[in-house]
């Protein structure tokens, strides 16, 4: 299924790096930043929509000013007095995918986006930047935040939604904190949701390298109840009243399941420590979506639930790109062939040395013929990132290419490992 500009991963590349102790610049709280990204194919704008404070910070406390991935957008926080970058993160968004659609040529739209950053001790400047698929700056927004501002609203964390730990390995300050949310499950269906959440958790952590690093994660299932059972399927004229208003047919792509109600997602998590989000949809319809540093959303009752939730988490957690392609080449412009993709598992050979070149055996043919796949578990196979020509994948098959393949390829495993270690080492 079509993914968003989202599915993006690059090796742990730093920004301007100033090593610092967390307690020098931050208190043990979260600053929630709500933005609106708006515009059309030719012009984009960023607007501040709200600032919130939350007790406890569940994100990383080391390598604070480094970018974990390149992403399609950056958030850089600088100490106002010194100008030193004190926190950086990256992301992708539904808006940035939408501006590449035909609809964006004719109409303007707005999209919610929410980001969590550590709460500063002193006034800071925060810059949000959006890039296109040529790595060109398309929108930038700079604003100041005074942590003493009386209009920063405190979120009540005293009465969190019902939840239970599926994996609990230790202090939230030392682990990667993942939540699994219910979408389209009524109060009466929460036992089903908890079973589905267990299945999702088991599916992810039986895949390498997640299995080897399972002790680095906490996973919490959150019983976010909906008024109606199921999710919206517009092409079947089905609309449901659900907690996150998710629906298939995103951008008129039948299997693309997403939600634009990002603030509702974060509201539902008040009082629960989290950084990465998985949403399970109570439907047997096939589909899903994964947006880097935003969420994974996937169907829970289709026979392909297990491989799909792992695939989508590969997008949202590790920024991996899709390795499949369309013979019709219908998305051939998704990755410009003169630009190196920043997903770690895709290349146009423009800057292959930054990818998996060091994992290749000596004298391997590049491109690597598919007929040689039994000889080369890691190669340079043409076809990937939706394009049949000019974009290359590291293995003939992988969890990021087909649902039937049982594992991540060695390059994807290495990319996931780097992200886990970025958060934990």
């Amino acid at each position: 299924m079509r993914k968003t500009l989202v599915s993006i991963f690059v090796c742990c590349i730093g920004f301007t790096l100033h090593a610092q102790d967390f307690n020098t610049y931050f208190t043990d709280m979260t600053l929630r930043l709500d933005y609106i990204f708006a515009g059309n194919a030719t012009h984009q704008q960023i607007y501040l929509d709200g600032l919130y404070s939350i007790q406890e910070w569940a994100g990383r406390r080391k390598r604070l000013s480094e970018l974990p991935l390149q992403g399609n957008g950056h958030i850089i926080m600088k100490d106002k007095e010194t100008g030193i970058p004190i926190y950086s993160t990256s992301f992708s968004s539904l808006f940035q995918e939408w501006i590449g659609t035909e609809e964006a040529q004719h109409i303007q739209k707005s999209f919610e986006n929410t980001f969590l950053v550590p709460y500063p001790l002193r006034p800071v400047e925060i810059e949000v930047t959006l890039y296109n698929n040529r790595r060109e700056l398309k929108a930038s927004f700079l604003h100041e935040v005074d942590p003493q501002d009386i209009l920063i609203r405190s979120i009540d964390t005293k009465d969190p939604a019902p939840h239970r730990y599926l994996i609990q390995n230790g202090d939230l300050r030392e682990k990667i904190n993942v939540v699994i949310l219910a979408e389209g499950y009524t109060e009466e269906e929460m036992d089903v949701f908890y079973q589905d959440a267990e299945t999702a958790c088991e599916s992810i952590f039986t895949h390498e390298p997640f299995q080897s690093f399972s002790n680095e994660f906490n996973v919490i299932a959150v019983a976010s109840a909906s008024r109606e059972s199921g999710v919206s399927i517009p092409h079947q004229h089905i609309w449901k009243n659900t907690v996150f208003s998710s629906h298939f047919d995103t951008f008129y792509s039948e299997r693309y399941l997403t939600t634009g109600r990002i603030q509702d997602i974060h509201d539902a998590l008040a009082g629960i420590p989290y950084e990465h989000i998985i949403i399970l949809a109570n439907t047997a319809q096939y589909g899903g979506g994964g947006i880097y540093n935003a969420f994974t959303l996937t169907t829970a009752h289709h026979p392909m639930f297990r491989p799909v939730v792992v695939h989508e988490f590969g997008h949202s957690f590790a920024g991996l790109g899709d390795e499949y392609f369309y013979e019709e080449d219908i998305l051939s412009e998704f990755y410009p062939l003169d630009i190196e993709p920043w997903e770690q598992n895709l290349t146009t050979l423009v800057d292959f040395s930054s990818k998996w070149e060091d994992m290749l055996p000596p004298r391997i043919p590049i491109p690597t013929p598919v007929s040689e796949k039994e000889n080369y578990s890691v190669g340079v196979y043409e076809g990937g990132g939706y394009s049949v020509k000019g974009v290359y994948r590291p293995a003939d098959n992988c969890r990021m290419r087909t649902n039937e393949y049982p594992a991540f390829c060695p390059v994807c495993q290495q990319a996931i490992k780097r992200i886990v270690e970025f958060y934990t080492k």
Side-chain angles (χ1 to χ4, degrees):
M1 71 204 60
R2 186 176 177 205
K3 280 309 138 306
T4 120
L5 282 165
V6 271
S7 328
I8 308 176
F9 181 29
V10 162
C11 174
C12 304
I13 298 177
F15 183 66
T16 346
L17 309 199
H18 298 263
Q20 76 271 338
D21 179 70
F22 179 88
N23 296 321
T24 301
Y25 292 102
F26 302 106
T27 186
D28 188 20
M29 293 173 59
T30 297
L31 176 63
R32 172 177 148 181
L33 305 165
D34 286 0
Y35 298 105
I36 299 295
F37 296 169
N40 55 28
T42 58
H43 181 72
Q44 297 94 48
Q45 285 288 128
I46 303 168
Y47 302 94
L48 180 64
D49 195 42
L51 298 172
Y52 300 86
S53 65
I54 306 170
Q55 295 298 316
E56 294 188 317
W57 166 244
R60 71 185 191 270
R61 293 169 182 260
K62 302 175 183 178
R63 305 175 70 170
L64 297 172
S65 58
E66 296 181 47
L67 290 177
L69 312 171
Q70 281 296 309
N72 285 318
H74 297 165
I75 295 178
I76 309 298
M77 181 192 296
K78 295 182 180 180
D79 179 71
K80 183 181 176 183
E81 181 179 354
T82 63
I84 294 175
I86 58 175
Y87 185 80
S88 302
T89 193
S90 52
F91 61 87
S92 293
S93 70
L94 212 53
F95 173 70
Q96 289 166 289
E97 181 180 358
W98 175 78
I99 60 176
T101 67
E102 175 64 21
E103 184 182 43
Q105 301 288 333
H106 310 290
I107 191 173
Q108 298 189 66
K109 280 190 172 182
S110 63
F111 290 72
E112 296 178 359
N113 292 269
T114 293
F115 305 101
L116 306 179
V117 299
Y119 203 91
L121 289 169
R122 297 182 293 275
V124 294
E125 291 183 339
I126 298 176
E127 184 173 24
V128 185
T129 50
L130 305 180
Y131 301 90
N132 64 12
N133 62 350
R134 300 194 62 83
R135 307 306 301 147
E136 297 167 337
L137 180 65
K138 298 302 293 182
S140 180
F141 176 61
L142 180 68
H143 65 105
E144 296 182 4
V145 175
D146 182 342
Q148 303 303 319
D149 188 340
I150 61 171
L151 295 182
I152 298 176
R153 184 169 181 173
S154 177
I155 292 179
D156 184 5
T157 59
K158 296 178 182 177
D159 188 24
H163 60 280
R164 64 178 65 162
Y165 275 86
L166 306 181
I167 298 177
Q168 188 169 14
N169 282 309
D171 193 316
L172 66 89
R173 294 172 293 183
E174 299 173 354
K175 302 301 176 182
I176 300 170
N177 298 289
V178 180
V179 287
I180 302 178
L181 288 160
E183 164 68 336
Y185 296 80
T186 62
E187 292 279 6
E188 294 73 26
E189 295 173 308
M190 282 307 156
D191 285 344
V192 176
F193 162 69
Y194 282 124
Q195 292 172 11
D196 293 340
E198 290 276 9
T199 299
C201 190
E202 176 190 341
S203 300
I204 292 169
F205 289 99
T206 54
H207 281 72
E208 288 293 357
F210 289 114
Q211 185 174 44
S212 293
F213 285 98
S214 61
N215 62 339
E216 299 290 354
F217 288 81
N218 292 326
V219 182
I220 306 173
V222 182
S224 43
S226 294
R227 292 186 179 181
E228 292 186 292
S229 180
V231 296
S232 298
I233 311 174
H235 70 269
Q236 295 181 11
H237 308 290
I238 296 172
W239 290 95
K240 297 284 188 175
N241 185 351
T242 61
V243 63
F244 304 128
S245 303
S246 69
H247 63 85
F248 290 87
D249 299 286
T250 300
F251 309 149
Y252 300 96
S253 178
E254 188 172 297
R255 296 179 298 177
Y256 199 8
L257 173 63
T258 69
T259 175
R261 305 300 183 186
I262 308 303
Q263 294 179 20
D264 289 346
I265 294 172
H266 291 269
D267 288 346
L269 290 168
I272 298 170
Y274 70 101
E275 186 171 20
H276 300 279
I277 299 169
I278 298 170
I279 305 170
L280 303 184
N282 183 21
T283 176
Q285 189 81 7
Y286 179 73
I291 304 177
Y292 165 54
N293 240 356
F295 59 79
T296 280
L297 207 171
T298 188
T299 179
H301 297 143
H302 188 273
M304 289 291 140
F305 169 38
R306 287 176 175 269
V308 170
V309 71
V310 177
H311 175 99
E312 302 299 351
F313 194 59
H315 287 306
S316 70
F317 176 76
L320 296 175
D322 281 315
E323 294 180 12
Y324 56 81
F325 52 90
Y326 300 104
E327 295 292 343
E328 302 85 0
D329 224 14
I330 57 176
L331 289 174
S332 59
E333 296 182 359
F334 204 88
Y335 293 99
L337 299 186
D338 61 338
I339 302 292
E340 183 65 29
W342 42 277
E343 294 90 332
Q344 201 63 13
N345 60 326
L346 296 176
T347 183
T348 55
L349 299 179
V350 172
D351 184 19
F352 185 47
S353 63
S354 69
K355 295 303 175 63
W356 63 91
E357 186 178 50
D358 61 345
M359 297 177 67
L360 296 178
R363 295 179 293 280
I364 185 173
I366 298 175
T368 311
V370 173
S371 60
E372 295 289 318
K373 65 183 181 181
E374 299 301 327
N375 297 324
Y376 301 111
S377 59
V378 176
V380 187
Y381 296 92
E382 191 164 28
Y386 324 117
S387 296
V388 69
K389 295 290 184 182
V391 181
Y392 302 85
R393 64 191 188 277
D396 177 57
N397 212 344
C398 174
R399 168 60 69 238
M400 297 311 295
R401 184 180 179 196
T402 67
N403 288 330
E404 291 73 25
Y405 198 74
F408 289 107
C409 71
V411 170
C412 287
Q413 290 192 37
Q414 177 68 15
I416 294 168
K417 178 182 176 182
R418 286 172 177 158
I419 285 298
V420 172
E421 291 181 342
F422 177 86
Y423 285 116
T424 59
K425 301 301 183 184

